[in-house]
Amino acid sequence: MSDDFEQKRRRVLRAREAIEGAGWAFDAYVKKLTAQWINEDSESRREALHCRVRAALELKAELAAIIDEADNDEVIREHRERNRD
């Protein structure tokens, strides 16, 4: 396996570990915003809080999806290399 592919594999692994490790922070942030949303009387403020919650959830999901896609690409590349030999 070439060094470039090994470096990419390590980067993907580190990114996955970072997202999994920071997942609690996303969850705590969403929980905090949700509590503020529940207690807010202003409709415009509630809407802003809702947008922030949605953005945090989407960011967490999109980061995980990018990592999964890179991981899947690596599996496909390894499969192609094995079948080439």
Side-chain angles (χ1 to χ4, degrees):
M1 187 176 305
S2 76
D3 287 338
D4 289 339
F5 291 121
E6 188 60 33
Q7 287 177 353
K8 184 175 181 181
R9 175 180 279 163
R10 282 189 294 239
R11 280 195 325 257
V12 169
L13 180 60
R14 284 193 312 267
R16 181 178 304 285
E17 291 170 349
I19 292 298
E20 289 173 356
W24 69 270
F26 279 98
D27 297 340
Y29 181 64
V30 167
K31 185 176 180 179
K32 177 184 171 187
L33 291 175
T34 301
Q36 291 174 0
W37 180 82
I38 290 170
N39 296 317
E40 184 59 53
D41 291 332
S42 167
E43 191 61 38
S44 63
R45 177 78 175 129
R46 285 174 60 92
E47 185 177 333
L49 288 166
H50 173 74
C51 288
R52 291 168 85 186
V53 166
R54 191 177 70 233
L57 293 172
E58 288 176 1
L59 177 60
K60 182 181 175 185
E62 287 299 320
L63 289 172
I66 289 168
I67 293 165
D68 289 341
E69 184 178 322
D71 202 22
N72 291 338
D73 288 348
E74 180 64 22
V75 169
I76 290 169
R77 189 196 60 74
E78 287 177 355
H79 179 72
R80 286 180 183 156
E81 277 188 10
R82 273 192 303 247
N83 287 339
R84 214 179 286 162
D85 297 335

